[in-house]
Amino acid sequence: MAFSEEIKTRAMVACGRCCCICHKFCGNNMEVHHIKAEADGGSNTFENAIPLCFDCHAEVRQYDPRHPKGIKFSEKELIQHRDNWYNSIKNRTEQNNKSDSPPIEPIRIVRNKDELPFLHRVMTGQELISLASNMSALEYSYDSPNSREEAMILADFVQKARDLIDYCDIFMEPSDSIMTAFELNDDIKALEESGFWLFCAVDNRTVTGGVDKPDSFPTLIMKIVRSDSKEIIKVSDLTKLQKQKEE
């Protein structure tokens, strides 16, 4: 006979659907093993059950006493594995259910300031490399393309900018930096010929939530907008705005 559904349910709850030996979360890929085999008089009770993953179940069952090799899983060992893991799941559940324990906030990435920094137009590859140096992440936005060709130009440029963040300081030799800047000049020119301008700024973002303390990291803000966008402010207009703020 096999274990009853009630016994299986109790075992699944007690182990949190994790293997009692390797502690891997297994979801549906679980089996309930008889600690003492039925053939040896083992019962179909909760006390004789241990939930295992497919791999560990195979390991426990494959030992051949006629050709002994390695160390067999004993009944006492299986009971200890099971009881230790059941207690671990129980303690973890009790800790999470304590009323005085604050809930764990979901992990989020937030701005350090309410407003975005002022973005400046970037016209050369050398400027972009200088901005990308020591950055940990790229945050980008763009005006919607009107054709597949425009979409491919935008996608290619954003991907190159992202790669630049990853390799700018760690792997890039001076000669590579010069050649990369030269190639980026062509990419920026391709954007402009398609009617797009590139604007960038450097800002900080903070990871909050989870169990760790908040951690800030430098981020390159990149925005690709059409050259006739109403968001673009000329230098002369910017000076006027700054004077108005000071007044």
Side-chain angles (χ1 to χ4, degrees):
M1 292 178 62
F3 292 106
S4 68
E5 291 302 316
E6 180 185 356
I7 298 299
K8 290 180 181 178
T9 299
R10 288 179 61 191
M12 290 299 102
V13 172
C15 73
R17 283 195 173 268
C18 296
C19 176
C20 288
I21 292 179
C22 71
H23 305 164
K24 176 178 65 179
F25 177 76
C26 300
N28 293 325
N29 301 320
M30 298 285 296
E31 295 178 309
V32 181
H33 175 69
H34 288 83
I35 294 174
K36 185 174 184 178
E38 286 185 283
D40 296 330
S43 62
N44 293 299
T45 60
F46 182 74
E47 290 71 22
N48 194 41
I50 177 171
L52 300 174
C53 68
F54 292 165
D55 292 336
C56 288
H57 195 199
E59 283 289 332
V60 170
R61 297 182 62 183
Q62 75 176 1
Y63 188 86
D64 187 352
R66 292 171 298 180
H67 301 282
K69 186 176 182 180
I71 302 175
K72 180 183 179 180
F73 283 91
S74 67
E75 293 179 13
K76 288 183 179 180
E77 180 187 353
L78 290 175
I79 290 171
Q80 190 169 337
H81 276 303
R82 180 199 62 191
D83 292 348
N84 287 347
W85 185 244
Y86 280 5
N87 286 330
S88 177
I89 293 295
K90 182 180 178 181
N91 293 336
R92 188 184 307 174
T93 302
E94 290 175 350
Q95 185 67 28
N96 290 339
N97 290 337
K98 283 184 178 180
S99 58
D100 58 345
S101 298
I104 298 177
E105 295 291 332
I107 295 176
R108 297 185 303 131
I109 296 178
V110 298
R111 295 177 183 172
N112 288 11
K113 298 177 182 178
D114 293 334
E115 296 182 0
L116 278 172
F118 189 82
L119 280 73
H120 298 268
R121 186 181 174 190
V122 174
M123 302 177 67
T124 68
Q126 189 174 2
E127 289 179 81
L128 185 57
I129 289 177
S130 178
L131 289 169
S133 297
N134 301 315
M135 292 296 105
S136 298
L138 171 68
E139 182 177 301
Y140 65 91
S141 61
Y142 54 88
D143 286 348
S144 297
N146 293 329
S147 65
R148 177 175 290 274
E149 183 181 0
E150 287 185 357
M152 291 178 64
I153 291 173
L154 291 174
D156 183 63
F157 187 83
V158 171
Q159 185 60 55
K160 287 183 178 179
R162 192 166 189 173
D163 293 342
L164 191 63
I165 297 293
D166 293 334
Y167 301 106
C168 194
D169 287 328
I170 301 176
F171 302 107
M172 192 175 289
E173 297 291 338
S175 58
D176 295 329
S177 177
I178 293 171
M179 290 306 300
T180 300
F182 181 78
E183 293 171 358
L184 285 171
N185 287 338
D186 291 339
D187 296 321
I188 294 172
K189 185 177 180 181
L191 281 177
E192 293 175 350
E193 290 175 348
S194 300
F196 293 95
W197 283 0
L198 173 65
F199 291 85
C200 293
V202 173
D203 201 11
N204 283 324
R205 294 291 180 267
T206 300
V207 178
T208 64
V211 297
D212 296 324
K213 295 180 179 179
D215 186 25
S216 294
F217 56 93
T219 302
L220 176 64
I221 312 298
M222 188 175 76
K223 196 164 188 176
I224 304 173
V225 299
R226 294 195 177 274
S227 56
D228 58 356
S229 172
K230 294 181 181 180
E231 292 184 78
I232 298 175
I233 302 174
K234 294 180 179 179
V235 175
S236 57
D237 294 334
L238 177 61
T239 303
K240 292 179 182 178
L241 288 173
Q242 289 175 337
K243 287 183 178 179
Q244 290 175 359
K245 286 184 179 180
E246 291 174 359
E247 293 175 357

